Amino acid sequence: MNVFALFAARVADALKGLYPSITEEALSRIVVEPPRDAAHGDLSTNAAMVVAKPLGKNPRDVASALADLFKADADVTSVEVAGPGFINFRLATPVWHEVLKSIAAQGGDFGRSNVGMGERVNVEYVSANPTGPMHVGHTRGAVFGDALASLMAYSGYDVTREYYINDAGSQIDTLARSTMLRYREALGETIEIPPGFYPGDYLVPVGEALKAEFGSSLLEKPEAEALSLVKDRVLAAMMDLIRSDLAKLNIHHDVFFSERQLHGQGGDIDLTLEWLRAEDMIYQGRLEPPKGKTPEDWEDREQTLFRATNYGDDVDRPLVKSNGAYTYFAADIAYHRNKYLRGFNHMVNVLGADHSGYVSRLKAAVKAVSHGEADIDVRICQLVRLMKNGEPFKMSKRSGDLVLLSDVVDEVGSDATRFMLLYRRNDAAMDFDFAVVKEQTRDNPVFYVQYAHARTYSVFRKVAEEMPGLDTSASALAAADISLLSSEADLELIKALAQWPRIVASAASAHEPHRVAFYLYELASAFHGFWAKGNQDVALRFVNADDSMLTTARLALVGAVRQVLVNGLTLLGVSAPEELS
């Protein structure tokens, strides 16, 4: 039961009755949410203000007409018009009791919705160069993309999780040459790794595997042939390593798309450029000299340019380098056209902070290749600084100059890594403080939320000790007399639970999984607060040996808190332990 969606529908129906000429577009902009100040009521809507202009009416007049209708609604105890035309509602207690019943009935599906209406969406995330194991710089985007994909799937989207393998650039040639050195080392040679090569020890096992497969025969082959064999094997090994690293955070992709399939004669890039030329989306021309810093893709010559400015970009973009090779952007256009042709009208790309300049060009590319039918949201994940007690933290570096993803997970665990990286907006830089993550205080969000979940189990253990004959089965809790939950504290906690479906739907629509993490912390705080009130007021204790009916009703409330915490933590990919050590 989404009480906010329910009242949004009621408000829309009321407006249709009052103003038959009202349009669906006007109604679609209605929002029902909690008022900023809880003293103003339980729900607030902007309905009168968003429909007044198209109706040619005064917002307060529309608000007053709506308020008059809802005064007769049995679920509404009071309704008031505020400010320029907001309408604030206070709901009857039985409405909140129905929310509690719906949590028990729906369980893991409480909060699930059809906001996405089955729309197919491609969420591409991580997409790190396959030149070594995952490092800490990739971790935030990996966790963000995975949580977003889960959130959207839970909200009714048909989600495909995709990883784009950058396996066609010069860095792969360098990787193959670096591996060839490790192969020579495995054969007993003393090697020196030149600047610009990959020095990490992770290539040592690949060199040993090449020795086991080929002996010394690679040294007898022409260099191009040997490097081709090495390239295939080291790429496979690096992708196995990357998949293994991601699995430590329980991250798994549906599709691994190789950039190499875009290249070559008759590949996607060739076909895409032919299509762009036929659609008059590319031309031969010169770019104006840039102001300020010269970008990598600018050359003072006539060249093949994509009409990016026709699709919202600030400059037309080159597609072919002076040496005849395609630019990175040519591959980007072909790749996103490939996505569109695979049936994805909605795309989300999760990129690192160093790719912020790609947003406008990727949006232009998707708009062009789909003739405006598809859309893309590019989410930039800002940098993460590793800290300990507020100071920069230097971890062991087993991979050249890189701190590995596995280093972070080994230090604090998957749960803390995922939750803490999601407990900030993706576009805000953040400090990851290892000392805070290990604290057992409310300053450590992951502990605070998991502790709330563990506390729900401790309530039931206490009942088993103090009231051993009390039936605490799911059926008994479902039959509890929850009308007994009428105190202000009871209702405040139920109202916090009622927020969950709205939070999920809005987070999915906005592509902001941090809203889920924020909500879980607030719910945990509300539950811990209720616990503290029970220590001061016997009437508010979860377990009251003198009142089995009230205890059973409170256990139903505790069970609902547990269920919503589980639902939220599951979406974030974080465990919900029954006890904390």
Side-chain angles (χ1 to χ4, degrees), residues 107-131:
D109 288 333
F110 180 70
R112 190 183 296 276
S113 71
N114 194 33
V115 169
M117 299 179 66
E119 291 277 359
R120 297 187 67 200
V121 59
N122 181 291
V123 182
E124 181 208 327
Y125 56 106
V126 188
S127 298
N129 288 343
T131 53

Side-chain angles (χ1 to χ4, degrees), residues 442-456:
R442 68 176 299 154
D443 292 331
N444 176 1
V446 63
F447 166 78
Y448 197 60
V449 173
Q450 289 183 321
Y451 181 42
H453 179 265
R455 258 188 164 178
T456 66

Side-chain angles (χ1 to χ4, degrees), residues 204-226:
V204 171
V206 185
E208 293 287 352
L210 288 169
K211 173 187 173 183
E213 181 179 359
F214 295 102
S216 62
S217 65
L218 286 179
L219 301 180
E220 302 164 7
K221 297 181 183 295
E223 183 183 46
E225 182 183 348

